[in-house]
Amino acid sequence: MRQRNRYLVLVTVTAVLGVALAGCGRDEGGGGGSQQTPGITDTTIKIGISVPLSGPVSDAGTAQLGGAKAFYEAINAAGGVKMRDGKTRKIELTSYDDGYEPGRSVQNFRRLVEQDGVLAVVGGLGTAQNAAVLPVAKELSVPQAFVASGASLFSANPSANPWTIGWQPTYEAEGEALAQAAVALNRPVTVAVIRQNDDLGNAFLNGFTKGIQGSQVKTVGTIQTYEAADTTVDSQITNLAATRAEVLLSAVAVVRLQISALTKARELGWKPAVLLPGFTQGFSTVLQPSGADKYFDQIYTTGFVKVPSDPQWASDPAVVEFGNRMKQYSPQANANLPNAVWGYATAATFVRALETMDGLTRQNLMDAVRKLKADDIPMLLPGVGVDASAAGKSPVNVTKLFKFADGRYSLAPES
Amino acid sequence: MRAVQQVIDGLATGSIYGALALALVLAHRATGVVNFAQGQMAVFSTFFAWSLVKAGLGVIPAVAVTVAASLILGATVERVVMRRFERESPMITIVATVGLLLLLNGMSSLIWGYDLKAFPPVFSGGTLRAGGAAVSITALGTFLVLVAAVLVLYALMMRSRLGLALRAVADNPDSSALSGLPVGYLLMVGWGLAAGLGAIAGCLVAPKLYLDPNMLAGVLVYALAAAVLGGFDSPLGAVVAAWIIGVSENLAATYIDLIGNDLRISVPLLLTVLVLLLRPQGLFGRREVVRV
Amino acid sequence: MNSRRRWFGATALAAGIIVLAMLPLNSTPYTNYQVALVATYAVAILGLNLVSGYAGQISLGQSAFFGLGGYCAAIATVRAGWPQPASFLLACALPAAVGLLVAIPAVRLRGHGLAIFTLALPLIGVALAKRFLDLTGGSEGLSARISRAPAWSGLDTDQWTYYVVLAIAGALFLLGRNMVTGRLGRALSTIRENEVVAVSMGISPQRYKALAFAMAAAYGGAAGWLYVYTIGFISPVEMELLLSINLLAMMIVGGMGSVLGSLLGGVLYVYIPIVAGTVDPVRTTLLYGAILVLVLFFAPGGIARALHRAGDRLGGPRAGRGTGPPDPRAVAMAEQAASPSPWLARRVLRRAATQPRR
């Protein structure tokens, strides 16, 4: 008796479940907006971002998000984005942590599109992470706009990847720009190189090599590499110093390791001209701690943004505004990291695209993005603008060469 | 000469690994636990020292206060967290220490943030140069402190009653309890000492590595390898193994093209495994006899 | 046999299967892929359980096999045009072969040495993946969207992916369960408890440990294949040491030496970061660490163990399933429990409560 009752319950439960589940339809996207204009209502624009907020690079991710948030919140506080249909809309930013794992970036993208119904995903951080998302953006026809990575793959092929575009100058472009410092010497010059062991370091070196082609500049010795998690680069610098090269291309993207590299060169008594990439050139963050500012005679770097900690911008209105907005809206983010500035300027670029879009669909947005030309994006250096119409190049594709002298960086005469 | 400089660099980097390895060995000797959170505890202590310096204290007094505070921190963590996992399988204990690592990492970033902080060196003063090779005073100081620490630990573990009691408790807690030793208290002392040692290690290496929550993350793997290679018993073994690791990885990366810089970490790890296959107790360990 | 427990188990299983079968038809692709990911990581953790949970050999190398399987899937399909079943077999076989190779030194190492050795695998794996970048795509990664729903199924890609992944994972779980409740599981448990006793019973520890390593590697590789099938991308990140440590942690928290625990581990691996993220994404590390420590504090045997115990209390004790060798430790513990030292007695009792069972 009891046996039969139990099986009756079993059958009933499973039947009820089956019917209940069959009843629900397949839910296609939530969030604001209609089917035709996902992510946009009369009053709001929903966008998404996926960055590493936990794990080893969480400071960069937090800064990237913080910079973007600071700009969007400031715009909202002033009323919102004035769009071409006459309506002013506020921006709603949804952010998810991907822990710098490509698998999570992909899932976050889907979540933002399918569950949060965003108009676009803007300013994601990480090369592999966004490379994983790229085919999904294409599959779902959702803009993956202004990726925060210097890998050329994001902007290189608009016809193959219509929904994806990068933002900042590629690592190749940076390397090529730095090469000018050596080429301008106009005599045989030897260069020793240390680079990060990944696509960033590879591209940097490729750009540099391209830049010195046909000139009297030659690289010497074994190209030294390092991993981002290394303790020091002492051993690598020792090897480079043994080449007695005149120029050191220190393509080190990690601040503590750049300090280690320059300190070691100084301790060994090696005094080459030093070429530093844009993310590890800071006076207070790298030059002073390593004693490089007082030791090396020639330090060059590239840049496309105003570095907030650089005293020459201390009273620049855009920089002051940036600092205030970061303090107000993103106090937990580190405003001195380059990612904060990139996030902020990327947001400004995106808002400009919103302002110039004709219509409210995702396609309209991408059209506006691809046509975007602007000279007045905050935090970009004078003379550096956004030009997304330059096919195959990143929207920001001008990078300037700087020389360090008298305690500050100024535009290099060789540029 | 380049090779000489590589050896000197290797000894300097090895000293960094050795400092953490020493704390690992001490914790293991006293409580039988491989503490994956040792580095993070050291970093937490170093942040504390940094705050003291920021508040106006001199470096040496700050470090001294920090070491004292770390003794308490270590003892507390042992009593509150680790005691629970004592007799569990080593894997459970390891995962518990991983949880501790994450907890401390999160707390460090919550309190002090992620930006790199400069830490004033205990030994400052530039570089010594001799015959084409150079060594910084900071690195030399770290090296010497390490040697001193090994001697002090040796004296403690081998020549003092406390050391004997600690060893007994780690070796056979049950018999020690039956013999009347205050096992709980001794476990706390063991972890406290390890934490104090870790604090010293952190403060020594912070001037070079620059302080942030992940300062010792990369070092942990090397420190573990050094401790294992040394036999996980012997403070001297851990430090000597660390020096061997530092030097061998530099020489291999420089002179063996197949390895190069990207595979340099394989050298200490495979070296350790090779030694263990030939000599299971490690370089300086004692042969372990297990009664069936 | 306890019929009440069986009935409960049967209902739960039937309900579960119905839900899983109907789910993809009613949910977003995001959800379907999330469930597929849970299954993927559950397979990886089950493999790890074989060598670490049942055989008691700590392995920090599971991510190396996971990544290797993923690269097999991506490279075989994208660069060499292999059909999917072939790439799946490769993704299981190549890691298994590497696992056997690795086992040769591994079975002779103990505890710390083994940990260091297995730890070397992901580190070397990542370096190699970056070195052979023409093959692997280097640190930029390799896109490999190998899942394609056939026309006759009438399903969308995500639904098809879901069914394929769950079917394969289900089969692997069934296979795994049969292994551990059978001779292999008993042999591994004996080896874990006391190797000398195992030898005296005619069980070769070296052989079984090597087998466990190979199986763990094969499962890891299979999971890597499933990962690429789901996400469509592989990069050196999937080989990193951090993944190994997380898999080990989730195995322990889910339930060491438990098939159910492996499944729970997969759920936890995917959902703890998301849950922590809803509280405060920036504090994820802190929350994750707190969760680990707290769960272990209250249930060191893992959640599966705690569920079994709760089940015992609700549904009555389970019937014994075969008798293993008399546990010498249990005998010793019983003697010690009667000892005069209260500290000792407390610990012995705690140990007894978390004694691994099948």
Side-chain angles (χ1 to χ4, degrees):
Chain A
M1 255 317 171
R2 283 184 78 199
Q3 203 79 328
R4 227 188 306 161
N5 278 352
R6 281 187 191 165
Y7 282 118
L8 196 62
V9 175
L10 172 67
V11 168
T12 315
V13 165
T14 51
V16 167
L17 260 176
V19 168
L21 286 173
C24 325
R26 190 139 141 98
D27 213 320
E28 292 290 0
S34 65
Q35 283 283 50
Q36 292 82 28
T37 63
I40 299 196
T41 65
D42 282 346
T43 51
T44 58
I45 303 167
K46 255 193 140 177
I47 59 177
I49 186 174
S50 173
V51 280
L53 297 175
S54 62
V57 287
S58 49
D59 54 343
T62 312
Q64 187 87 22
L65 174 62
K69 213 165 138 216
F71 190 83
Y72 294 134
E73 294 292 325
I75 291 285
N76 286 347
V81 179
K82 192 137 202 261
M83 296 177 69
R84 284 211 176 148
D85 66 347
K87 298 207 174 63
T88 307
R89 296 177 170 84
K90 296 214 171 151
I91 296 181
E92 233 181 82
L93 178 65
T94 308
S95 61
Y96 291 128
D97 172 27
D98 61 22
Y100 223 45
E101 280 174 58
R104 281 173 71 183
S105 309
V106 168
Q107 285 301 85
N108 285 346
F109 189 86
R110 285 194 183 275
R111 190 175 174 192
L112 287 166
V113 172
E114 293 165 16
Q115 290 192 347
D116 298 303
V118 298
L119 167 69
V121 176
V122 186
L125 184 64
T127 301
Q129 292 70 16
N130 283 288
V133 168
L134 195 151
V136 182
K138 198 166 158 190
E139 171 202 325
L140 300 178
S141 301
V142 174
Q144 182 194 12
F146 305 131
V147 172
S149 155
S152 53
L153 71 103
F154 297 110
S155 313
N157 204 338
S159 50
N161 307 317
W163 295 97
T164 303
I165 191 167
W167 183 75
Q168 63 225 61
T170 60
Y171 304 128
E172 259 119 358
E174 268 214 63
E176 209 177 327
L178 268 182
Q180 303 317 308
V183 169
L185 291 171
N186 230 339
R187 56 180 173 76
V189 177
T190 50
V191 182
V193 180
I194 175 173
R195 67 168 183 89
Q196 190 156 289
N197 181 32
D198 64 359
D199 61 285
L200 187 159
N202 245 328
F204 214 91
L205 183 57
N206 284 343
F208 184 81
T209 309
K210 187 159 157 229
I212 62 174
Q213 227 164 42
S215 76
Q216 303 179 64
V217 182
K218 294 276 172 290
T219 58
V220 289
T222 321
I223 310 279
Q224 299 291 312
T225 63
Y226 72 91
E227 307 294 327
D230 279 351
T231 312
T232 76
V233 290
D234 285 356
S235 170
Q236 287 90 333
I237 297 297
T238 298
N239 285 332
L240 292 180
T243 65
R244 287 191 235 278
E246 288 182 66
V247 177
L248 166 64
L249 174 61
S250 189
V252 176
V254 178
V255 173
R256 67 154 42 99
L257 293 178
Q258 187 66 286
I259 298 175
S260 165
L262 298 177
T263 309
K264 188 65 182 174
R266 180 170 58 77
E267 286 172 3
L268 291 173
W270 182 37
K271 214 187 236 200
V274 176
L275 307 179
L276 304 176
F279 14 72
T280 50
Q281 42 81 301
F283 177 65
S284 54
T285 46
V286 172
L287 298 186
Q288 259 184 329
S290 59
D293 56 331
K294 302 225 168 46
Y295 175 74
F296 293 102
D297 294 327
Q298 290 168 297
I299 301 177
Y300 293 88
T301 188
T302 58
F304 61 99
V305 289
K306 296 175 182 164
V307 177
S309 58
D310 190 331
Q312 73 178 296
W313 306 116
S315 38
D316 179 283
V319 177
V320 170
E321 187 178 59
F322 166 78
N324 292 338
R325 286 173 172 180
M326 285 298 291
K327 265 200 218 86
Q328 185 179 359
Y329 298 111
S330 307
Q332 81 283 18
N334 183 355
N336 283 322
L337 283 178
N339 298 83
V341 179
W342 299 346
Y344 186 84
T346 306
T349 313
F350 182 70
V351 166
R352 191 58 57 82
L354 288 175
E355 287 168 352
T356 56
M357 58 190 267
D358 289 312
L360 303 173
T361 68
R362 286 171 173 152
Q363 184 62 58
N364 297 141
L365 176 62
M366 269 328 273
D367 293 338
V369 164
R370 297 260 178 224
K371 285 202 299 257
L372 191 60
K373 259 189 157 133
D375 285 328
D376 56 345
I377 301 293
M379 295 308 284
L380 290 183
L381 285 172
V384 178
V386 169
D387 181 6
S389 64
K393 286 195 180 172
S394 55
V396 180
N397 51 45
V398 176
T399 182
K400 302 219 176 243
L401 188 66
F402 288 86
K403 188 170 180 177
F404 186 79
D406 303 320
R408 47 174 290 216
Y409 281 108
S410 13
L411 269 177
E414 295 89 336
S415 62
Chain B
M1 222 196 95
R2 185 160 60 141
V4 172
Q5 187 63 51
Q6 289 290 2
V7 170
I8 294 178
D9 291 343
L11 291 175
T13 321
S15 300
I16 298 177
Y17 306 150
L20 184 57
L22 210 51
L24 278 173
V25 166
L26 184 52
H28 186 263
R29 224 60 234 260
T31 65
V33 171
V34 178
N35 183 10
F36 269 57
Q38 200 74 56
Q40 207 59 54
M41 287 168 71
V43 170
F44 195 81
S45 305
T46 313
F47 268 119
F48 185 73
W50 179 86
S51 292
L52 291 178
V53 169
K54 203 108 202 285
L57 224 54
V59 177
I60 307 228
V63 174
V65 171
T66 303
V67 171
S70 304
L71 294 174
I72 302 174
L73 170 72
T76 314
V77 169
E78 200 288 323
R79 180 65 187 90
V80 170
V81 182
M82 296 314 300
R83 190 69 63 86
R84 176 78 176 90
F85 304 109
E86 272 229 80
R87 289 295 203 98
E88 306 294 350
S89 113
M91 267 180 282
I92 295 183
T93 330
I94 283 178
V95 175
T97 60
V98 169
L100 207 55
L101 186 165
L102 296 170
L103 205 56
L104 285 171
N105 187 301
M107 271 166 48
S108 303
S109 64
L110 183 68
I111 304 175
W112 290 284
Y114 278 109
D115 39 324
L116 282 185
K117 293 171 165 44
F119 192 89
V122 172
F123 306 101
S124 55
T127 322
L128 280 178
R129 296 223 187 99
V135 61
S136 74
I137 301 280
T138 319
L140 200 55
T142 309
F143 185 89
L144 293 172
V145 169
L146 207 57
V147 173
V150 170
L151 294 172
V152 168
L153 271 186
Y154 180 77
L156 174 72
M157 296 304 269
M158 296 300 178
R159 297 264 182 266
S160 76
R161 288 196 64 193
L162 177 62
L164 182 61
L166 285 171
R167 276 186 296 140
V169 162
D171 218 22
N172 197 332
D174 306 332
S175 302
S176 310
L178 292 169
S179 315
L181 284 176
V183 174
Y185 166 75
L186 285 168
L187 290 173
M188 286 168 70
V189 168
W191 263 60
L193 285 176
L197 196 55
I200 296 177
C203 294
L204 275 179
V205 308
K208 180 165 172 73
L209 298 188
Y210 284 78
L211 185 57
D212 76 349
N214 298 317
M215 180 175 83
L216 291 178
V219 176
L220 184 63
V221 171
Y222 284 100
L224 280 171
V228 172
L229 179 59
F232 239 124
D233 263 338
S234 153
L236 179 66
V239 170
V240 169
W243 287 329
I244 292 176
I245 285 175
V247 173
S248 64
E249 71 158 351
N250 276 3
L251 293 178
T254 304
Y255 294 109
I256 305 181
D257 280 335
L258 185 68
I259 294 183
N261 279 305
D262 54 333
L263 276 173
R264 56 165 56 217
I265 197 167
S266 63
V267 172
L269 296 174
L270 296 179
L271 187 71
T272 306
V273 169
L274 199 62
V275 168
L276 287 177
L277 284 174
L278 300 171
R279 202 185 141 87
Q281 69 268 37
L283 288 177
F284 288 79
R286 295 165 302 137
R287 258 236 113 101
E288 193 185 293
V289 174
V290 178
R291 295 239 167 76
V292 179
Chain C
M1 284 297 170
N2 192 323
S3 65
R4 183 148 52 124
R5 244 189 128 99
R6 281 188 92 201
W7 165 84
F8 186 75
T11 319
L13 193 63
I17 291 183
I18 295 216
V19 170
L20 283 179
M22 305 284 298
L23 185 71
L25 305 173
N26 303 307
S27 55
T28 58
Y30 168 71
T31 310
N32 292 338
Y33 286 123
Q34 285 291 87
V35 176
L37 275 181
V38 166
T40 300
Y41 288 114
V43 168
I45 294 175
L46 180 58
L48 185 60
N49 238 326
L50 285 172
V51 69
S52 293
Y54 287 94
Q57 306 299 302
I58 183 166
S59 172
L60 290 172
Q62 191 69 343
S63 63
F65 301 117
F66 183 86
L68 182 57
Y71 274 111
C72 285
I75 295 173
T77 319
V78 168
R79 297 221 194 277
W82 285 22
Q84 287 166 20
S87 69
F88 179 74
L89 284 174
L90 180 69
C92 297
L94 185 57
V98 174
L100 265 180
L101 208 64
V102 156
I104 297 175
V107 297
R108 285 178 231 303
L109 295 168
R110 234 162 266 293
H112 313 131
L114 184 59
I116 288 292
F117 179 56
T118 54
L119 185 156
L121 298 171
L123 298 174
I124 295 179
V126 168
L128 291 177
K130 289 207 275 189
R131 207 181 248 206
F132 297 113
L133 62 112
D134 291 328
L135 189 63
T136 64
S139 61
E140 253 175 26
L142 191 56
S143 212
R145 315 201 80 206
I146 63 185
S147 169
R148 215 165 294 281
W152 55 260
S153 67
L155 294 171
D156 293 331
T157 310
D158 62 290
Q159 296 166 324
W160 173 256
T161 306
Y162 174 102
Y163 285 125
V164 169
V165 170
L166 253 65
I168 295 181
L172 289 172
F173 256 78
L174 226 72
L175 177 65
R177 191 171 171 282
N178 285 342
M179 283 197 293
V180 300
T181 51
R183 203 165 142 222
L184 176 65
R186 281 200 296 276
L188 293 180
S189 287
T190 313
I191 292 170
R192 182 187 70 230
E193 292 296 322
N194 195 323
E195 274 193 38
V196 181
V197 167
V199 171
S200 71
M201 289 176 64
I203 300 174
S204 158
Q206 318 290 60
R207 214 203 277 158
Y208 276 94
K209 280 198 248 180
L211 190 61
F213 263 104
M215 296 255 49
Y219 267 72
W225 189 93
L226 293 174
Y227 176 85
V228 170
Y229 201 76
T230 308
I231 295 288
F233 189 84
I234 188 77
S235 72
V237 173
E238 273 68 48
M239 275 184 126
E240 273 177 7
L241 179 60
L242 188 60
L243 174 60
S244 268
I245 295 179
N246 278 328
L247 289 176
L248 186 70
M250 293 300 100
M251 179 197 95
I252 301 264
V253 171
M256 184 167 131
S258 154
V259 172
L260 175 64
S262 311
L263 183 58
L264 287 175
V267 175
L268 292 168
Y269 180 85
V270 174
Y271 282 101
I272 288 185
I274 295 186
V275 168
T278 51
V279 176
D280 187 351
V282 185
R283 299 295 150 234
T284 301
T285 311
L286 184 64
L287 289 167
Y288 186 23
I291 292 174
L292 265 187
V293 175
L294 284 173
V295 171
L296 285 181
F297 206 89
F298 294 109
I303 297 182
R305 197 73 56 209
L307 287 177
H308 277 144
R309 264 184 285 145
D312 279 343
R313 256 175 268 155
L314 287 176
R318 286 183 295 165
R321 215 177 297 151
T323 45
D327 189 349
R329 284 252 202 99
V331 172
M333 273 166 33
E335 288 172 356
Q336 285 171 345
S339 85
S341 161
W343 175 86
L344 200 56
R346 252 184 288 130
R347 290 191 345 159
V348 163
L349 290 173
R350 224 187 282 140
R351 168 83 160 119
T354 58
Q355 183 74 359
R357 276 184 306 218
R358 220 150 292 129

